[in-house]
């Protein structure tokens, strides 16, 4: 397997370019924060938050992708494709909602 090229970013605060080095941190018992930090000014950029429910849905999605590769009929393929799209939308909404909840807590505003 080939190595991926490093992902670069430009800091919004100091305008310096840097390679992203992702980090993970636990928040409480069930939430995981994935982020990176500008090495020049230490500004933190949160990529996303995950909780147990989202991880479960991601696992389910992975299984659906495996199943769709072995779909034997167009009807079965379409059914799985619809489930995949619905689950992707759910995950996207869950990620948005979790980010909003954590951001509100961090800023002292309870939702």
């Amino acid at each position: 397997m080939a190595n991926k090229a490093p992902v670069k970013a430009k800091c919004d605060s100091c305008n310096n370019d840097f390679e992203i080095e992702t980090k993970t941190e636990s928040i409480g018992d069930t939430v995981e924060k994935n982020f990176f930090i500008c090495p020049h000014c230490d500004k933190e950029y949160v990529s996303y938050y995950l909780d147990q429910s989202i991880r479960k849905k991601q696992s389910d999605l992975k299984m659906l992708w495996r199943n769709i590769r072995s779909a034997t009929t167009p009807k079965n393929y379409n059914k799985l494709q619809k489930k995949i799209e619905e689950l992707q939308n759910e995950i996207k909404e869950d990620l948005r909602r979790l980010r909003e909840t954590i951001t509100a807590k961090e800023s002292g505003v309870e939702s």
Side-chain angles (χ1 to χ4, degrees):
M1 183 181 239
N3 289 336
K4 291 183 180 180
V7 178
K8 296 195 175 204
K10 184 170 194 151
C11 182
D12 295 336
S13 292
C14 69
N15 289 324
N16 284 306
D17 293 327
F18 63 97
E19 288 183 9
I20 292 175
E21 185 179 320
T22 58
K23 301 174 186 288
T24 302
E25 178 180 287
S26 292
I27 300 175
D29 292 335
T30 60
V31 177
E32 181 180 282
K33 175 172 78 170
N34 293 273
F35 62 101
F36 57 94
I37 297 173
C38 173
H40 306 286
C41 71
D42 293 329
K43 178 173 180 176
E44 180 179 282
Y45 293 88
V46 176
S47 301
Y48 55 90
Y49 297 94
L50 289 177
D51 63 12
Q52 199 167 7
S53 169
I54 295 169
R55 283 191 288 273
K56 168 74 169 95
K57 288 179 182 181
Q58 288 175 328
S59 177
D60 293 346
L61 184 61
K62 192 174 183 179
M63 186 60 69
L64 286 171
W65 277 111
R66 278 191 206 128
N67 291 343
I68 203 168
R69 284 188 223 119
S70 61
T72 56
T73 65
K75 183 179 179 181
N76 190 21
Y77 181 92
N78 291 337
K79 181 180 170 184
L80 289 167
Q81 183 63 41
K82 183 175 181 185
K83 284 183 179 182
I84 287 170
E85 289 171 6
E86 289 171 355
L87 194 51
Q88 286 174 326
N89 288 333
E90 278 183 43
I91 291 169
K92 183 178 178 181
E93 181 61 22
D94 289 351
L95 287 166
R96 184 196 62 76
R97 202 174 304 126
L98 183 58
R99 179 184 285 271
E100 285 180 358
T101 300
I102 290 173
T103 302
K105 286 180 182 177
E106 287 175 347
S107 66
V109 178
E110 293 294 323
S111 51

